[in-house]
């Protein structure tokens, strides 16, 4: 019988499709039966999902999708529908009428519809939805008569008036809420469902009066006019502030547009045997393979997501209605298997019958993302390549972020600072100032302050403040509420439904247990446990060694990265793009090994000089008046430097270590000019310490003698080594002696000496000859065989443009992209970021901060030239990058594309770089 019904339904649809197909204009409207999951660009995620579920013969209420192309046309034509669209909408509506046996606007058997947005990428709550459209004074009677339930009809009508009034016509929601809350108080109703038909009838009348007062006209009775206005409003919400903010944050292009889905209404508010729910096929916080979600009886549409009432867990539906739960559970597993992806499902139960309203990729946090990817590989649903592409580099960052120290939490609880416990809606830990307004949160967040946004419940209008905060706390709402969904997607800790606190947003306070927390007070939230604390809680780093799922994923990333060929990249290395780390101390090297680094790509020797035990020696070396005096102090620094390098070589074992000779101007090791000037002036005024005054005056004279108008382009790097060759000799000897000592112990170390700031081949020629001679001398003294390399840092444009000449004397290149960006773009990073650079990014003069994401056309163009010309001279030339861009996923992809051997980044960015490098290899191979 069921098969016959399906066949009949398909036949009816085929016969009726001609009403749309015969339209000569461009196709703007698709019935659900005409789409599929691969049409996300045109139908949006929601429309494509509804189409796919319809094809799978799931219980989907009939409807149609107006394409994203209409949205773009709507804006380009001055917010007018494109020619032919409305005719196609009416034709599609006729098909839906025949599919349902109802008629739009009919007084006896009315068809009611929902009008919902749906872009290609999920934007939860960021655009508008109108439910129960088609209700008016006459169709209201029809609904009441058909259902025999006057209360249900009035409830649907009051919802429609407030939704339409707010979303379509711009009447403030709080004005509707004031009327509704007043009625609840009048009738002593604790919940919405306690209001009877008479009370709801009064509310409807007051809603209409409010509408007339606000808009100067009666509430529209014509269903077709309602539909036309609602479609326009949903398209209009694409450029609403919250949607635009969300897209900016998530880098979603404006030109994608949203589709509009018009679908037959089903009613979860039809009684206790009805309800609405949202569920995920796996736990979006932990990734556990168990159905996770919430269900709200006798409720409609957005009630669960909006957090208007606290719902029951989806597992409780199994007890309340085992038949519906079993059917839904079966569909959920089927959808996950079909899409080979965790799904986010919306459904409604109307008088015991299940209807599916949405399936889309389930948003989840970093922990769940990694676990789901790893487990789906083990379950045979996806490949290892697919798994690493599903985890974003930022997810790895989030997993390595600090968490609360358990002992500190316990102490805080003992001291009475555990304020309350709510739902653990999104894991992670955060401490910040309690702020009750999203605009204030955004402002303070931009100032660099740590914020915890506290709300009674969040709404889509809060999204800009949510993303500016470190964490979110709400008094109301469930695990699938707006706050929880957005927080999980953004990787923010969230405690939702914390009913133990009482939030007063107007007074900017919340109270709990006799305590009052005011705006600006420091609080801490643990999104993993749901706990809320007064004050700050000590943070600790997570234990990477215990994170087996992340380690498994990264091991797969390494495996895939090495397997993938580098086709199409001239003279590229065979081993794929390796991931090295920047490290100046043995502790950095040990951390790099722990996180999976394959070498040290930058050891900055100047950082060692700033240590308190050696800075006085460095200063005396700088102030020396003769070479002999300078050599005395360099001899004192030699054993200290040798010990530094020995520790790093020992930690890295047989992995390569690139050590950069001293780079910054020498005056950076001396006291500041301003500070010395003040001290000298004060000593002269007091006149009580002539010896100290003489010492300070000599230091001031030395500093003034070394001051430069533009020290970044002054006496530094290789220029320093050329003018003071003893420094290069001392550092070379320290490096090679340390390596030889370990070689004698049987460790096959690989030291690489990097000469910075080379812009002319003769600079490198001079320094290499100097370093080579000293290295060979030391090796002969030590009586061991040792391989070493000498190369250079490419960090000024001339170095890149003359790479063919420089490569004659370099065994490796390493791009210092921090300085290369400054010298290429003519921007001083320290000055620009605080004055104009961020504004450049906000106003789209620049696509991104070039010090965070590599400028591919300018800086990247120079890098490409250096790679190609350098390898023309020396085909075996090893090339890497050691600026901050070495840990940026986009920059890593570019480095892979142009054929670099390695990227080097902070030890804590190594896991991120490992994943990004593998993703680049997979994408390139495809």
């Amino acid at each position: 019988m069921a098969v016959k019904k399906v066949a009949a339904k398909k036949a009816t649809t085929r016969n009726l499709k001609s009403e749309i197909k015969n339209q000569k204009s461009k196709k703007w409207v698709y019935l659900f039966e005409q789409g599929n999951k691969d049409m996300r660009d045109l139908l949006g995620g929601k429309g494509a999902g509804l189409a796919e579920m319809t094809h799978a013969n799931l219980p989907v209420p009939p409807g149609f999708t107006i394409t994203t192309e209409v949205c773009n046309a709507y804006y380009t034509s001055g917010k007018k529908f494109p020619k032919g669209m409305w005719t196609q909408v009416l034709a599609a509506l006729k098909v839906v009428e025949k599919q349902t046996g109802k008629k739009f606007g009919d007084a006896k058997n009315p068809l009611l519809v929902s009008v919902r947005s749906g872009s290609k990428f999920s934007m939860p709550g960021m655009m508008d939805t109108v439910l129960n459209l088609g209700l008016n004074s006459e169709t209201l009677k029809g609904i009441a008569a058909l259902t025999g339930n006057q209360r249900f009809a009035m409830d649907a009508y009051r919802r429609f008036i407030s939704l339409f009034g707010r979303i379509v016509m711009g009447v403030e929601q709080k004005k509707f809420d004031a009327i509704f809350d007043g009625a609840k108080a009048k009738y002593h109703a604790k919940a919405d469902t306690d209001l009877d038909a008479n009370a709801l009838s009064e509310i409807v009348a007051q809603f209409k009066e409010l509408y007339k007062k606000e808009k100067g006209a009666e509430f529209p009775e014509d269903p077709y006019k309602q539909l036309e206005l609602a479609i326009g409003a949903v398209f209009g919400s694409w450029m609403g502030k919250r949607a635009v903010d969300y897209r900016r944050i998530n880098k979603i292009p404006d030109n994608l547009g949203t589709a509009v889905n018009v679908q037959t209404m089903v009613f979860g508010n039809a009684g206790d045997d009805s309800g609405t729910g949202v569920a995920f096929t796996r736990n979006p916080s932990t990734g556990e393979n168990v159905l996770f979600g919430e269900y709200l009886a006798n409720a409609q549409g957005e009630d669960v997501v909006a957090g208007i009432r606290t719902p029951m867990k989806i597992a409780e539906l199994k007890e309340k209605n085992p038949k519906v739960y079993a059917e839904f559970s079966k569909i959920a597993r089927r959808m996950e298997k079909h899409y080979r992806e965790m799904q986010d499902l919306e459904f409604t139960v109307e008088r015991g019958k299940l209807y599916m309203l949405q399936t889309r990729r389930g948003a989840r946090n970093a922990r769940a993302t990694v676990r789901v990817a790893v487990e789906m590989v083990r379950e045979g649903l996806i490949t290892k390549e697919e798994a690493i592409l599903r985890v974003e580099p930022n997810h790895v960052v989030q997993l390595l972020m600090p968490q609360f120290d358990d002992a500190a939490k316990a102490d805080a609880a003992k001291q009475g600072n555990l304020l309350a416990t709510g739902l653990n809606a999104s894991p992670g830990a955060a401490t910040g100032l309690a702020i009750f307004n999203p605009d204030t949160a955004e402002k303070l967040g931009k100032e660099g302050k740590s914020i915890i946004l506290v709300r009674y419940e969040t709404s889509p209008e809060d999204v800009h403040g949510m993303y500016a905060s470190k964490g979110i706390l709400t008094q109301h709402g469930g695990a699938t509420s707006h706050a929880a969904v957005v927080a999980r997607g953004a990787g923010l800790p969230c405690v939702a439904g914390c009913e133990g606190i009482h939030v007063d947003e107007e007074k900017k306070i919340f109270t709990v247990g006799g305590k009052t927390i005011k705006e600006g007070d420091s609080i801490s939230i643990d999104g993993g446990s749901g706990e809320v604390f007064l004050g700050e809680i000590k943070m600790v780093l997570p234990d990477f060694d215990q994170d087996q799922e992340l380690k498994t994923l990264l091991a797969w990333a390494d495996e895939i990265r090495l397997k993938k060929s580098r086709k199409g990249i001239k003279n590229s290395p065979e081993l794929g793009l390796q991931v090295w780390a920047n490290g100046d101390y043995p502790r950095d090297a040990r951390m790099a090994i722990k996180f999976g680094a394959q070498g040290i790509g930058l050891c900055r020797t100047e950082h060692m000089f700033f240590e308190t035990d050696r800075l006085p020696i460095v200063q005396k070396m700088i102030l020396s008046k003769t070479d002999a005096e300078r050599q005395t102090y360099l001899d004192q620094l030699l054993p200290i430097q040798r010990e530094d390098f020995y520790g790093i070589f020992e930690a890295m074992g047989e992995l390569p270590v690139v050590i950069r000779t001293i780079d910054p101007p020498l005056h950076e090791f001396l006291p500041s000019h301003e500070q010395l000037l003040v001290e000298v002036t004060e000593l002269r005024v007091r006149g009580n310490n002539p010896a100290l005054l003489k010492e300070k005056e000599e230091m001031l004279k030395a500093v003034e003698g070394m001051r430069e108008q533009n020290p970044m382009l002054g006496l530094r790097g290789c220029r320093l080594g050329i003018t003071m060759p003893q420094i290069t000799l001392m550092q070379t000897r320290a490096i090679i002696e340390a390596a030889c000592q370990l070689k004698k112990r049987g460790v096959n170390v690989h030291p690489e000496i990097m000469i910075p700031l080379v812009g002319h081949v003769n600079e490198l020629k001079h320094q290499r000859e100097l370093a080579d001679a000293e290295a060979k001398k030391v090796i002969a003294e030590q009586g061991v065989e040792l391989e070493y390399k000498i190369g250079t840092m490419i960090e000024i444009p001339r170095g890149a443009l003359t790479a063919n000449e420089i490569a004659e004397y370099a065994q490796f290149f390493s791009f210092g992209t921090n300085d290369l960006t400054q010298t290429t773009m003519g921007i001083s990073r320290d000055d620009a970021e605080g004055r104009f650079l961020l504004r450049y990014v906000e106003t789209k003069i620049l696509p991104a901060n070039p010090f965070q994401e590599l400028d591919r056309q300018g800086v990247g163009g120079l890098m490409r030239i250096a790679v190609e010309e350098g390898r023309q001279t020396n085909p075996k030339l090893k090339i890497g990058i050691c600026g901050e861009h070495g840990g940026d996923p986009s920059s890593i992809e570019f480095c892979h594309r142009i054929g670099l051997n390695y990227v080097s980044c902070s030890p804590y960015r190594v896991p991120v770089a490992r994943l990004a490098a593998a993703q680049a290899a997979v994408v390139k191979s495809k």
Side-chain angles (χ1 to χ4, degrees):
M1 180 67 73
V3 174
K4 288 182 179 179
K5 283 183 178 179
V6 169
K9 181 180 177 182
K10 286 184 176 179
T12 301
T13 302
R14 280 195 300 270
N15 293 335
L16 294 169
K17 280 179 185 175
S18 59
E19 295 187 40
I20 294 177
K21 284 185 176 179
N22 290 337
Q23 300 290 336
K24 293 182 180 180
S25 59
K26 179 178 175 65
K27 188 171 180 61
W28 301 111
V29 177
Y30 287 76
L31 295 166
F32 290 163
E33 297 91 322
Q34 295 174 315
N36 60 59
K37 65 180 175 63
D38 299 320
M39 298 174 69
R40 292 172 57 88
D41 286 344
L42 191 63
L43 304 181
K46 192 186 299 291
L50 287 166
E52 195 72 8
M53 289 194 294
T54 299
H55 282 300
N57 294 321
L58 297 182
V60 177
F64 55 89
T65 302
I66 306 169
T67 69
T68 57
E69 292 178 339
V70 175
C71 183
N72 288 326
Y74 178 77
Y75 282 103
T76 56
S77 61
K79 295 190 176 182
K80 294 179 181 178
F81 295 146
K83 185 178 179 181
M85 187 217 81
W86 184 247
T87 304
Q88 292 181 29
V89 166
L90 296 178
L93 200 57
K94 289 288 184 187
V95 175
V96 175
E97 286 178 338
K98 292 179 181 178
Q99 289 174 333
T100 60
K102 301 175 184 290
K103 187 172 176 59
F104 193 60
D106 186 65
K108 293 183 178 179
N109 189 21
L111 169 67
L112 304 185
V113 297
S114 63
V115 182
R116 307 174 80 189
S117 62
S119 64
K120 178 180 179 180
F121 300 109
S122 177
M123 294 172 57
M126 296 304 114
M127 291 178 287
D128 290 331
T129 294
V130 180
L131 304 178
N132 307 327
L133 191 142
L135 275 172
N136 58 25
S137 301
E138 295 303 313
T139 56
L140 176 67
K141 297 174 186 176
I143 289 291
L146 283 170
T147 61
N149 188 335
Q150 181 71 19
R151 188 206 175 278
F152 155 68
M154 296 306 301
D155 184 54
Y157 199 23
R158 65 94 183 170
R159 291 171 181 269
F160 172 56
I161 295 170
S162 64
L163 276 173
F164 188 91
R166 174 174 63 86
I167 290 168
V168 181
M169 304 305 294
V171 180
E172 288 183 280
Q173 181 63 43
K174 67 181 181 181
K175 294 182 179 180
F176 289 112
D177 291 342
I179 293 171
F180 193 74
D181 291 342
K184 286 174 70 175
K186 176 181 176 181
Y187 290 101
H188 307 290
K190 291 183 179 180
D192 303 358
T193 49
D194 294 334
L195 294 168
D196 63 17
N198 291 330
L200 291 170
S201 180
E202 287 181 21
I203 291 169
V204 165
Q206 291 179 57
F207 276 9
K208 285 187 172 183
E209 282 298 318
L210 171 65
Y211 181 93
K212 184 177 180 180
K213 179 182 175 183
E214 292 287 322
K215 307 310 296 182
E218 299 289 344
F219 188 81
E221 290 277 297
D222 181 358
Y224 290 95
K225 190 63 178 177
Q226 294 173 359
L227 181 60
E228 179 186 352
L229 291 171
I231 291 170
V234 174
F235 281 136
S237 69
W238 174 252
M239 294 307 294
K241 184 180 186 304
R242 65 180 189 266
V244 172
D245 286 344
Y246 186 89
R247 290 198 298 276
R248 295 290 177 273
I249 293 163
N250 292 280
K251 298 182 178 179
I252 298 173
D254 288 338
N255 63 1
L256 292 180
T258 182
V260 172
N261 299 284
V262 179
Q263 187 175 23
T264 303
M265 277 297 305
V266 286
F267 300 96
N269 60 328
D272 291 337
D273 61 349
S274 305
T276 185
V278 176
F280 297 83
T281 53
R282 302 186 188 221
N283 188 312
S285 291
T286 67
E288 183 184 2
N289 190 0
V290 61
L291 203 58
F292 176 93
E294 294 174 324
Y295 178 78
L296 196 56
N298 199 12
Q300 196 174 61
E302 303 297 307
D303 289 356
V304 174
V305 175
I308 291 169
R309 282 157 48 202
T310 302
M312 68 176 75
K313 292 183 179 178
I314 193 73
E316 294 178 50
L317 181 61
K318 188 175 184 179
E319 313 246 332
K320 300 271 185 185
N321 196 329
K323 181 181 176 183
V324 167
Y325 179 85
E327 183 183 4
F328 176 72
S329 181
K330 184 178 179 181
I331 289 172
R333 293 302 164 205
R334 181 179 170 188
M335 285 294 96
E336 181 175 277
K337 189 173 182 180
H338 177 74
Y339 281 96
R340 299 186 309 118
E341 173 63 289
M342 172 181 155
Q343 294 296 292
D344 171 1
L345 304 160
E346 290 183 19
F347 65 98
T348 285
V349 179
E350 181 182 84
R351 295 187 179 86
K353 180 172 173 54
L354 174 68
Y355 292 94
M356 300 302 300
L357 303 181
Q358 174 173 277
T359 187
R360 63 184 176 187
R361 177 190 175 276
R364 59 267 198 183
N365 63 22
R367 168 64 54 217
T369 297
V370 171
R371 179 172 175 177
V372 169
V374 170
E375 290 188 355
M376 281 191 167
V377 171
R378 290 170 175 163
E379 293 163 15
L381 284 176
I382 61 175
T383 65
K384 291 178 180 178
E385 287 185 15
E386 288 173 313
I388 66 167
L389 290 176
R390 287 187 180 183
V391 178
E392 297 176 12
N394 191 50
H395 290 141
V396 179
V397 173
Q398 291 171 25
L399 291 177
L400 299 177
M401 289 174 68
Q403 302 168 349
F404 287 146
D405 178 66
D406 288 338
K409 275 177 61 176
D411 288 343
K414 285 179 184 177
Q415 293 167 15
N417 289 331
L418 175 58
L419 298 175
T421 301
L423 294 172
N424 52 338
S426 181
T431 293
L433 307 178
I435 298 296
F436 296 82
N437 180 279
D439 294 332
T440 306
E442 182 182 44
K443 178 179 178 293
L444 295 177
K446 286 181 177 179
E447 293 174 4
K449 292 183 172 64
S450 294
I451 302 302
I452 305 295
L453 181 62
V454 183
R455 303 287 280 165
Y456 175 75
E457 62 189 12
T458 63
S459 70
E461 283 77 13
D462 296 341
V463 67
H464 59 295
M466 296 171 74
Y467 273 89
S469 303
K470 298 297 183 185
I472 300 160
L473 169 64
T474 71
Q475 177 182 335
H476 206 53
T480 56
S481 64
H482 175 265
V485 171
V486 172
R488 283 194 293 268
L492 294 171
C494 176
V495 175
C498 191
E499 301 290 353
I501 68 173
H502 299 282
V503 176
D504 188 325
E505 293 174 358
E506 289 189 6
K507 292 182 179 178
K508 299 181 180 178
I509 62 170
F510 75 83
T511 56
V512 54
K515 295 180 179 178
T516 298
I517 286 73
K518 302 183 296 295
E519 182 155 278
D521 288 348
S522 182
I523 61 171
S524 300
I525 63 169
D526 189 331
S529 65
E531 294 167 307
V532 181
F533 295 89
L534 179 64
E536 297 184 7
I537 305 290
K538 178 185 173 184
M539 297 278 201
V540 294
L541 291 171
D543 190 344
F544 178 77
D545 289 332
Q546 297 301 313
D547 197 334
Q548 296 304 318
E549 284 150 351
L550 179 58
K551 291 181 74 174
T552 296
L553 185 86
L554 293 175
W556 292 346
D558 294 340
E559 172 191 322
I560 290 165
R561 177 163 47 86
L562 292 175
K563 280 183 179 179
K564 291 295 173 184
S565 65
R566 307 285 289 276
K567 294 178 182 178
I569 304 177
K570 189 176 180 181
N571 295 326
S572 69
E574 297 298 322
L575 296 178
L577 185 67
Q578 294 189 336
V579 178
W580 296 14
N582 301 338
D584 305 329
Y585 303 98
R587 62 177 179 271
D588 298 332
R590 287 190 289 271
M591 187 63 68
I593 291 292
K594 176 181 177 179
F595 285 131
Q598 297 167 282
I600 293 291
L602 175 63
C603 173
R604 291 158 287 211
T605 55
E606 63 269 10
H607 284 193
M608 303 167 182
F609 285 171
F610 284 109
E611 296 288 330
T612 54
D613 64 332
R614 60 198 75 176
L615 185 58
I617 304 173
V618 174
Q619 291 177 342
K620 289 175 182 177
M621 182 269 292
I622 294 169
L623 297 173
S624 296
K625 293 182 173 60
T626 65
D627 287 346
E629 184 184 359
R630 178 171 291 111
Q631 189 61 52
T632 301
Y633 296 115
L634 286 170
D635 289 344
Q636 292 179 38
L637 287 171
L638 173 63
I640 299 173
Q641 283 263 274
R642 182 172 59 231
E643 185 180 352
D644 292 332
F645 300 142
Y646 184 92
I648 292 173
F649 288 142
E650 184 179 43
M652 296 304 294
E654 298 190 358
L655 295 174
V657 176
V658 177
I659 299 173
R660 183 180 71 185
T661 55
I662 191 167
D663 182 42
L666 290 180
H667 73 78
E668 289 194 9
F669 300 99
L670 301 176
S672 75
H673 179 263
E674 291 75 12
Q675 177 188 339
L676 282 171
L677 201 57
V678 170
E679 290 176 356
V680 167
T681 301
E682 290 178 346
L683 285 168
R684 284 173 178 169
V685 170
R686 288 197 297 264
N688 58 355
N689 196 336
L692 182 59
L693 174 61
K694 183 181 179 182
E695 179 186 330
K696 293 290 184 181
E697 285 178 333
E698 288 180 358
M699 182 71 79
L700 178 61
K701 184 178 180 181
V703 170
E704 287 177 338
M706 292 182 180
R707 290 185 77 194
E708 297 173 298
Q709 292 296 321
N710 193 344
M712 193 194 84
L713 300 179
L715 182 59
R716 53 170 288 219
C718 65
R719 302 160 191 171
L720 196 58
I722 291 169
T723 56
M724 297 182 184
Q726 307 104 303
I727 297 177
T728 300
L729 291 172
M730 182 276 290
Q731 291 198 302
T732 300
R733 174 167 285 274
I735 292 167
I736 301 302
E737 283 183 352
C740 287
Q741 288 179 8
L742 278 166
K743 191 70 185 286
K744 289 177 180 179
R745 286 180 44 197
V747 181
N748 190 24
V749 294
H750 295 280
E752 301 187 12
I753 301 170
M754 182 160 67
I755 309 300
L757 211 74
V758 167
H760 195 286
V761 62
N762 289 339
E763 291 175 315
L764 180 61
K765 182 175 182 290
H766 175 281
Q767 289 288 280
R768 172 149 189 194
E769 288 173 352
L770 203 68
D772 254 337
E774 187 70 8
K776 288 173 182 175
K777 182 178 177 182
V778 172
I779 290 170
E781 291 171 359
Q782 296 290 324
V784 297
E785 291 185 4
L786 177 73
E787 290 185 5
Y788 64 92
K789 286 185 172 68
I790 298 177
T792 186
M793 212 168 177
I794 303 293
E795 51 189 329
I796 56 177
R798 195 180 190 283
L801 293 170
T802 59
N804 59 328
E805 297 177 357
I806 292 173
E808 292 182 32
Y809 296 93
Q811 293 171 287
F812 67 88
F813 285 170
S814 182
F815 290 107
T817 49
N818 297 340
D819 277 358
L820 187 58
T821 298
Q822 291 196 92
T823 53
T824 300
M825 300 191 73
I827 293 176
S828 168
R829 178 178 186 174
D830 293 338
D831 296 322
E833 287 194 321
R835 293 173 183 247
F836 67 87
L837 192 55
L838 297 182
R839 183 165 179 80
Y840 266 40
V841 175
E842 287 175 0
T843 56
K844 295 190 174 180
I845 290 174
L846 291 176
N849 184 334
F851 294 102
Q852 294 177 352
E853 184 176 313
L854 198 65
D855 164 36
R856 296 192 180 203
Q857 286 71 37
V859 177
L862 289 171
M863 291 172 65
R864 193 185 295 273
I865 290 170
V867 170
E868 292 173 355
E869 297 201 0
R871 287 196 176 131
Q872 282 179 1
T873 299
N874 179 3
K876 294 183 179 180
L877 186 70
K878 184 168 67 173
I879 307 177
I881 180 175
C882 61
E884 289 185 26
H885 298 99
D888 169 63
S890 172
S891 305
I892 290 170
E893 190 276 332
F894 180 77
C895 292
H896 174 90
R897 188 177 294 275
I898 64 173
L900 266 57
N901 296 79
Y902 67 86
V903 295
S904 186
C905 57
S906 157
Y908 289 97
R909 296 287 295 184
V910 165
V912 180
R914 288 167 66 189
L915 177 65
Q919 290 175 335
V922 171
V923 171
K924 180 65 180 177
S925 70
K926 290 182 177 180

